[in-house]
Amino acid sequence: MVHVLGSRILLRPADPERSRAFYGEQLGLAVYREFGTGPERGVVYFLGGGFLEVSGRSETPPDPAVRLWLQVADVAAAHDELRAAGVPIVRPPVREPWGLIEMWIQDPDGTPIVLVEVPADHPIRYRPGL
C-alpha cells in the first residue's frame, strides 16, 4: 500500500505570471511556499486540505477533463468577493438537485473551478456515531 505523506495538484499555465496573479491576488489563496527564481518560479498555495502548485509553463491548453473543486463556507459571499475582484463568473451560485450550492469560474487558461457550499442539513455533513 502506498503511504501518502502529502499531495498537491500541479498546474502548468500558459502564462505563469497571469496565473499567479489570478490564484494569489484575485482568488486570494494563501502561499504555502515559493521556489525558483524568475518569471517561471513556482508557487504552492494552500488549498483547504491540500495544495495547488502553479509552476513551469505549458504550450498546450489544459485538459478539459481537469477541474478544481473548492469547498467554501459561504458561496454567495465568495461570489460577491470574486466579482468585486474582477473574476468572471461562468455560472452564479445555484442549489443543485443533489443539495450542494455550486458556483463556477475558470482560471486564465480555462481550467474550470467549482466553488461549493455544503449546507448544514446536507448528508455530506452527517457522520454516523458522532
Side-chain angles (χ1 to χ4, degrees):
M1 173 122 178
V2 175
H3 182 75
V4 178
L5 298 177
S7 65
R8 64 179 67 164
I9 297 165
L10 305 174
L11 290 181
R12 303 288 185 245
D15 181 339
E17 189 60 42
R18 180 181 69 179
S19 290
R20 283 192 301 271
F22 174 78
Y23 286 105
E25 296 167 24
Q26 288 186 287
L27 287 190
L29 298 182
V31 173
Y32 169 66
R33 68 181 293 258
E34 296 184 59
F35 57 91
T37 59
E40 295 183 28
R41 71 187 182 283
V43 179
V44 180
Y45 299 96
F46 283 103
L47 203 59
F51 299 98
L52 172 68
E53 178 180 318
V54 177
S55 63
R57 181 183 298 270
S58 177
E59 300 300 324
T60 60
D63 186 318
V66 173
R67 298 162 193 279
L68 298 179
W69 191 94
L70 308 178
Q71 184 178 343
V72 297
D74 184 341
V75 79
H79 175 266
D80 293 343
E81 291 170 17
L82 293 172
R83 192 174 57 201
V87 175
I89 307 299
V90 174
R91 196 190 80 184
V94 172
R95 186 177 201 113
E96 300 291 355
W98 46 89
L100 299 176
I101 302 167
E102 297 184 1
M103 175 183 92
W104 287 85
I105 60 174
Q106 63 185 16
D107 80 359
D109 288 323
T111 300
I113 302 170
V114 60
L115 282 81
V116 177
E117 178 182 337
V118 181
D121 62 347
H122 194 277
I124 221 169
R125 289 188 182 250
Y126 175 70
R127 294 194 176 119
L130 296 180

